[in-house]
Amino acid sequence: LENRKAISSNDDWFCSNNNDNNYKKKTERIIRALVAASFQQQVLSASASAVVVLTANNFVDNVQGKAVFIKFFAPWCGHCKSMKGDWEKVAADWEGSETGLVGEVDCTDEEGGGDLLCEEYGVESFPTVMHGDAFSPEVYEDERDYETMSEFAKKHLTQVPCNIHNMNTFCPKDTKTVLQDLMAKSREELEAMEVEIDTELAEAEVKYDEQVELINEQYEQILSEYNAKLTKIRDERHYKWLQMVLAESDEPLNLGDFKDDNDDDDDDDDENDDYESKDEL
């Protein structure tokens, strides 16, 4: 019996140890499978996206000689995530294009210099989308759904944008003349022109704000007069009471519903009087 107990004890230890080993092996296989699946999904996602990822190292090479449509984003940005699918569809439409490029810059990418690019382009909110010539782009301010962005891209990515570096090839004659005149001026002259233009723009903005404020004041006055007029008409024409009577007239009035309480009491007295008269008879 003692030997049998010892053997049984050894068998239990072996089974327990063997089960632990099997559990560890199964767990390891599951973890390896999950890691492999995750990596494969990342590879598929990266390969499926036609969006050109722009960094400080590849920016110039990718945008040179092309009209660009660039999204500046942050991975945590909710609006950036919302437009991701539509942005990738637009990029797929222009993949391999000789005239247009659809790309993106991760503004949190310190290693690749994406943060420096976003700072250089004055990005202050996410997502910020720019288009045109990569070295002097304009901010895209339209809707961020696929249909709208696709139509916009068809209008703005089909031609190489004119700039200083390609003016002999892609700039119209009048634009080329303007560029040549500006390039012939000194830096001091150019800065003075810039200040003059900025001043004119600021004055135009001040005038615009004054006009908008005046319109708002006029609107408030018009609204106040309108509301007062409505109130006067309703009061003078007894509109409230008219509506009340009309509402009641939808169903015929039952005058019995409005019987005076005193009348009820009198009727009761009459009935009692009748009973008393019968008793007397």
Side-chain angles (χ1 to χ4, degrees), residues 211-225:
Q211 291 175 332
V212 170
E213 184 177 356
L214 179 60
I215 291 173
N216 286 335
E217 291 175 356
Q218 292 175 342
Y219 169 77
E220 293 296 334
Q221 179 64 27
I222 293 172
L223 180 62
S224 177
E225 294 175 356

Side-chain angles (χ1 to χ4, degrees), residues 70-73 80 122-130 139-140:
I70 301 175
K71 176 185 69 175
F72 297 86
F73 75 102
C80 303
V123 176
E124 297 180 348
S125 61
F126 308 116
T128 293
V129 180
M130 296 187 180
V139 176
Y140 171 81

Side-chain angles (χ1 to χ4, degrees), residues 6-21:
I7 292 173
S8 176
S9 176
N10 289 335
D11 288 343
D12 291 342
W13 174 87
F14 177 79
C15 291
S16 175
N17 191 48
N18 192 41
N19 288 336
D20 287 344
N21 289 335

Side-chain angles (χ1 to χ4, degrees), residues 57-69:
N57 294 327
N58 69 9
F59 187 83
V60 174
D61 291 337
N62 277 294
V63 304
Q64 189 71 44
K66 291 187 176 182
V68 300
F69 206 12

